[in-house]
Amino acid sequence: MSGTAQIGVTGLAVMGRNLARNFARNGFTVAVHNRTAAKTRALVEEFGTEGSFVAAESPEEFVAALERPRRLVIMVKAGEPTDAVIKEFAPLLEEGDVIIDGGNAHFEDTRRRERELRERGIHFVGVGISGGEEGALHGPSIMPGGSAESYDSLGPLLERIAAKAPDGTPCVTHVGPDGAGHFVKMVHNGIEYADMQLIAEAYHLLRTVAGYSPAKIAETFRGWNTGRLDSYLIEITAEVLAHVDAATGKPFVDVVEDQAEQKGTGRWTVQIALDLGVPVSGIAEAVFARSLSGHAELREAARSLAGPASAPLGEAEATAFAAQVEQALYASKIVSYTQGFHQIQAGSENYDWSVDPGAVAAIWRAGCIIRAAFLDRIRGAYDTKPDLPSLLSDKRFGDEIGAAQDDWRAVIVAAAGQGVPVPGFSAALAYYDALRAERLPAALTQGQRDFFGAHTYRRTDREGSFHTLWGGDRSEVSTG
């Protein structure tokens, strides 16, 4: 078997199969391989008319089918399965060849793998791919890390299969070295968690406070999707809410168990944010909300606790309240993206990646789960001022969130008054208020820490670190 394939995909579950088909549909000859050879044969038999495939039943056949430099995409489960595939294929490769991990790997694993393979002259590229099964087939948002040399080889292929933004630009960019691509994909998923939680809270408020039916809320979301909240998640939310269960005739959302699951990337986002010292409170609340929903016994034990009686609004009041919820959702959404981009910037600085936040916003405009109309404005904000410290520092976003704040606060008051949990909305507002505060109570926290642990504090009127001798005359000593 001579090397005729420009790209190879090993691991032919749904994502791998669809990615291979995407490459083939875009004119590339694709080598395909799976540990179970029957899956390889089934793909070619079912989709062989879509393009040019080379079926390989052994690792040796698969590698031999690839032209140099070989480009080999791994689409298997993250963790040990990925390491096992690398261990199997790396000895068959040569200097300058490229291994691409398209799974949801932890970026630290990607950094380790890139370092180990670099020593053998093999490029390793951790690629974040967003868009799910449909995106993999029709055009995802692609976030590759790795060396610049590896992107020179791989980039033209990825640009062909990526989603295209409204202006025609491929939604792919070289994010940065080693683990940068998987780091940015991790944060993307963290923002996704926050976005979904905020949308769920908006639904809960409209259902409980406004008294809307799921069908009415679907109609409301469709209206919102024609304006500044235009996004994939708002679009599919309307579809889910409008769906009626065929077996019972009830709204679909009323027959689904209210226990949300998670695969871990949102949790990673929060864990890494803690390591970096970056406040991503909105993302954290979204992760914890999913966790709380899954504690069925805990919730059952607390169900008899006292709370306010629900009192749905009249029609006119409900319409006005829905408009306020739209404002709260939009403002909170801006905060979740603000926190996510702050984490990307902090990670870039910490790991010396030089990630361009404007380029990241640009490749999220299509293909990915959090694609939204206002990402084009986020790109513009960072293009205009690359060192923008926060999206809230951008005048347009700052003005919009300022205009929304009264309604935002009113919604949270209404939620508290009727006992509707809105941790995402509340955390977003608390973040906003903390950023704009002249002084925070952290001064008291530092005093407490110095009292019980001699942890010292800094003063506002002179340089240095100080400690108060709390147990004696409470005199102050300089510690440096």
Side-chain angles (χ1 to χ4, degrees), residues 23-92:
F23 279 117
R25 288 176 168 190
N26 278 281
F28 299 109
T29 298
V30 186
V32 288
H33 168 267
N34 195 78
R35 188 173 294 277
T36 304
K39 277 193 174 182
T40 308
R41 291 192 293 269
L43 184 152
V44 176
E45 288 171 6
E46 188 173 356
F47 303 109
T49 58
E50 294 183 347
S52 178
F53 295 98
V54 179
E57 296 200 358
S58 71
E60 291 77 11
E61 286 182 4
F62 182 60
V63 170
L66 299 171
E67 66 178 30
R68 295 290 314 279
R70 301 181 183 93
R71 291 166 289 232
L72 186 161
V73 182
I74 298 172
M75 295 297 292
V76 300
K77 289 183 178 180
E80 292 182 3
T82 298
D83 282 324
V85 173
I86 293 171
K87 185 177 181 180
E88 183 176 30
F89 282 94
L92 305 176

Side-chain angles (χ1 to χ4, degrees), residues 143-146 173-185 187 340-361 363-364 382 386-387:
M143 296 152 259
T173 190
H174 180 221
V175 175
D178 57 70
H182 276 144
F183 184 95
V184 166
K185 174 57 164 54
V187 176
F341 276 95
H342 182 195
Q343 183 166 359
I344 289 171
Q345 290 170 300
S348 177
E349 183 176 349
N350 187 73
Y351 296 105
D352 195 25
W353 284 332
S354 299
V355 177
D356 178 352
V360 170
I363 65 173
W364 287 350
Y382 282 112
D387 60 347

Side-chain angles (χ1 to χ4, degrees), residues 212-225:
Y212 283 1
S213 67
K216 175 67 173 176
I217 302 171
E219 181 185 328
T220 301
F221 272 83
R222 286 196 183 103
W224 290 353
N225 200 48

Side-chain angles (χ1 to χ4, degrees), residues 272-290:
I272 300 305
L274 289 170
D275 292 339
L276 292 170
V278 176
V280 293
S281 50
I283 296 171
E285 287 294 349
V287 173
F288 287 129
R290 292 197 190 189

Side-chain angles (χ1 to χ4, degrees), residues 304-322:
S304 61
L305 292 174
S310 178
L313 303 173
E315 184 176 349
E317 292 174 310
T319 300
F321 181 70

